[in-house]
PDB file of all heavy atoms in Angstrom:
ATOM      1  N   ALA A 140      96.603   0.924 -36.836  1.00  0.00           N
ATOM      2  CA  ALA A 140      97.960   1.306 -36.688  1.00  0.00           C
ATOM      3  C   ALA A 140      98.204   2.841 -36.863  1.00  0.00           C
ATOM      4  O   ALA A 140      99.105   3.416 -36.293  1.00  0.00           O
ATOM      5  CB  ALA A 140      98.856   0.517 -37.647  1.00  0.00           C
ATOM      6  N   ARG A 141      97.282   3.440 -37.661  1.00  0.00           N
ATOM      7  CA  ARG A 141      97.506   4.842 -37.989  1.00  0.00           C
ATOM      8  C   ARG A 141      96.680   5.785 -37.034  1.00  0.00           C
ATOM      9  O   ARG A 141      96.745   7.008 -37.157  1.00  0.00           O
ATOM     10  CB  ARG A 141      96.991   5.141 -39.445  1.00  0.00           C
ATOM     11  CG  ARG A 141      97.982   4.445 -40.416  1.00  0.00           C
ATOM     12  CD  ARG A 141      97.493   4.689 -41.789  1.00  0.00           C
ATOM     13  NE  ARG A 141      97.410   5.993 -42.247  1.00  0.00           N
ATOM     14  CZ  ARG A 141      97.101   6.420 -43.503  1.00  0.00           C
ATOM     15  NH1 ARG A 141      96.915   5.532 -44.401  1.00  0.00           N
ATOM     16  NH2 ARG A 141      97.092   7.705 -43.865  1.00  0.00           N
ATOM     17  N   VAL A 142      95.957   5.214 -36.099  1.00  0.00           N
ATOM     18  CA  VAL A 142      95.237   6.069 -35.150  1.00  0.00           C
ATOM     19  C   VAL A 142      96.258   6.736 -34.196  1.00  0.00           C
ATOM     20  O   VAL A 142      97.187   6.168 -33.719  1.00  0.00           O
ATOM     21  CB  VAL A 142      94.270   5.224 -34.300  1.00  0.00           C
ATOM     22  CG1 VAL A 142      93.658   6.041 -33.197  1.00  0.00           C
ATOM     23  CG2 VAL A 142      93.233   4.618 -35.177  1.00  0.00           C
ATOM     24  N   PRO A 143      96.149   8.113 -34.108  1.00  0.00           N
ATOM     25  CA  PRO A 143      97.172   8.805 -33.229  1.00  0.00           C
ATOM     26  C   PRO A 143      96.996   8.413 -31.815  1.00  0.00           C
ATOM     27  O   PRO A 143      95.974   8.190 -31.261  1.00  0.00           O
ATOM     28  CB  PRO A 143      96.681  10.299 -33.400  1.00  0.00           C
ATOM     29  CG  PRO A 143      95.906  10.300 -34.625  1.00  0.00           C
ATOM     30  CD  PRO A 143      95.321   8.973 -34.772  1.00  0.00           C
ATOM     31  N   ARG A 144      98.207   8.153 -31.177  1.00  0.00           N
ATOM     32  CA  ARG A 144      98.265   7.758 -29.756  1.00  0.00           C
ATOM     33  C   ARG A 144      98.950   8.813 -28.943  1.00  0.00           C
ATOM     34  O   ARG A 144      99.761   9.590 -29.494  1.00  0.00           O
ATOM     35  CB  ARG A 144      99.020   6.439 -29.655  1.00  0.00           C
ATOM     36  CG  ARG A 144      98.528   5.363 -30.563  1.00  0.00           C
ATOM     37  CD  ARG A 144      97.241   4.719 -30.092  1.00  0.00           C
ATOM     38  NE  ARG A 144      96.732   3.674 -30.935  1.00  0.00           N
ATOM     39  CZ  ARG A 144      95.608   3.101 -30.904  1.00  0.00           C
ATOM     40  NH1 ARG A 144      94.748   3.352 -29.891  1.00  0.00           N
ATOM     41  NH2 ARG A 144      95.211   2.102 -31.733  1.00  0.00           N
ATOM     42  N   ASP A 145      98.641   8.818 -27.724  1.00  0.00           N
ATOM     43  CA  ASP A 145      99.376   9.788 -26.835  1.00  0.00           C
ATOM     44  C   ASP A 145     100.766   9.339 -26.613  1.00  0.00           C
ATOM     45  O   ASP A 145     101.682  10.240 -26.514  1.00  0.00           O
ATOM     46  CB  ASP A 145      98.642   9.831 -25.493  1.00  0.00           C
ATOM     47  CG  ASP A 145      97.183  10.365 -25.587  1.00  0.00           C
ATOM     48  OD1 ASP A 145      97.027  11.104 -26.574  1.00  0.00           O
ATOM     49  OD2 ASP A 145      96.283  10.049 -24.753  1.00  0.00           O
ATOM     50  N   ALA A 146     101.084   8.073 -26.530  1.00  0.00           N
ATOM     51  CA  ALA A 146     102.433   7.606 -26.303  1.00  0.00           C
ATOM     52  C   ALA A 146     103.184   7.714 -27.546  1.00  0.00           C
ATOM     53  O   ALA A 146     102.647   7.729 -28.680  1.00  0.00           O
ATOM     54  CB  ALA A 146     102.445   6.178 -25.716  1.00  0.00           C
ATOM     55  N   GLU A 147     104.530   7.752 -27.476  1.00  0.00           N
ATOM     56  CA  GLU A 147     105.377   7.785 -28.700  1.00  0.00           C
ATOM     57  C   GLU A 147     105.252   6.538 -29.454  1.00  0.00           C
ATOM     58  O   GLU A 147     105.187   6.535 -30.703  1.00  0.00           O
ATOM     59  CB  GLU A 147     106.777   8.049 -28.332  1.00  0.00           C
ATOM     60  CG  GLU A 147     107.017   9.516 -27.689  1.00  0.00           C
ATOM     61  CD  GLU A 147     108.469   9.700 -27.357  1.00  0.00           C
ATOM     62  OE1 GLU A 147     109.290   8.798 -27.586  1.00  0.00           O
ATOM     63  OE2 GLU A 147     108.808  10.791 -26.822  1.00  0.00           O
ATOM     64  N   ALA A 148     105.386   5.337 -28.815  1.00  0.00           N
ATOM     65  CA  ALA A 148     105.226   4.096 -29.479  1.00  0.00           C
ATOM     66  C   ALA A 148     103.834   3.550 -29.264  1.00  0.00           C
ATOM     67  O   ALA A 148     103.515   3.364 -28.088  1.00  0.00           O
ATOM     68  CB  ALA A 148     106.328   3.099 -28.895  1.00  0.00           C
ATOM     69  N   PRO A 149     103.102   3.306 -30.304  1.00  0.00           N
ATOM     70  CA  PRO A 149     101.751   2.755 -30.117  1.00  0.00           C
ATOM     71  C   PRO A 149     101.886   1.314 -29.493  1.00  0.00           C
ATOM     72  O   PRO A 149     102.615   0.542 -29.936  1.00  0.00           O
ATOM     73  CB  PRO A 149     101.224   2.771 -31.548  1.00  0.00           C
ATOM     74  CG  PRO A 149     102.412   2.622 -32.460  1.00  0.00           C
ATOM     75  CD  PRO A 149     103.456   3.408 -31.747  1.00  0.00           C
ATOM     76  N   PRO A 150     100.949   1.045 -28.538  1.00  0.00           N
ATOM     77  CA  PRO A 150     101.025  -0.271 -27.949  1.00  0.00           C
ATOM     78  C   PRO A 150     100.436  -1.281 -28.914  1.00  0.00           C
ATOM     79  O   PRO A 150      99.652  -1.021 -29.833  1.00  0.00           O
ATOM     80  CB  PRO A 150     100.089  -0.126 -26.711  1.00  0.00           C
ATOM     81  CG  PRO A 150      99.145   1.023 -27.108  1.00  0.00           C
ATOM     82  CD  PRO A 150      99.936   1.925 -27.974  1.00  0.00           C
ATOM     83  N   SER A 151     100.957  -2.513 -28.752  1.00  0.00           N
ATOM     84  CA  SER A 151     100.514  -3.654 -29.618  1.00  0.00           C
ATOM     85  C   SER A 151      99.056  -3.956 -29.266  1.00  0.00           C
ATOM     86  O   SER A 151      98.629  -3.830 -28.103  1.00  0.00           O
ATOM     87  CB  SER A 151     101.357  -4.813 -29.460  1.00  0.00           C
ATOM     88  OG  SER A 151     101.351  -5.190 -28.094  1.00  0.00           O
ATOM     89  N   PRO A 152      98.248  -4.293 -30.262  1.00  0.00           N
ATOM     90  CA  PRO A 152      96.823  -4.627 -29.925  1.00  0.00           C
ATOM     91  C   PRO A 152      96.701  -5.839 -29.040  1.00  0.00           C
ATOM     92  O   PRO A 152      97.435  -6.758 -29.148  1.00  0.00           O
ATOM     93  CB  PRO A 152      96.224  -4.965 -31.377  1.00  0.00           C
ATOM     94  CG  PRO A 152      97.425  -5.284 -32.203  1.00  0.00           C
ATOM     95  CD  PRO A 152      98.532  -4.456 -31.648  1.00  0.00           C
TER      96      PRO A 152
END
Side-chain angles (χ1 to χ4, degrees):
R141 292 174 63 173
V142 173
R144 309 286 180 182
D145 295 335
E147 295 182 358
S151 57

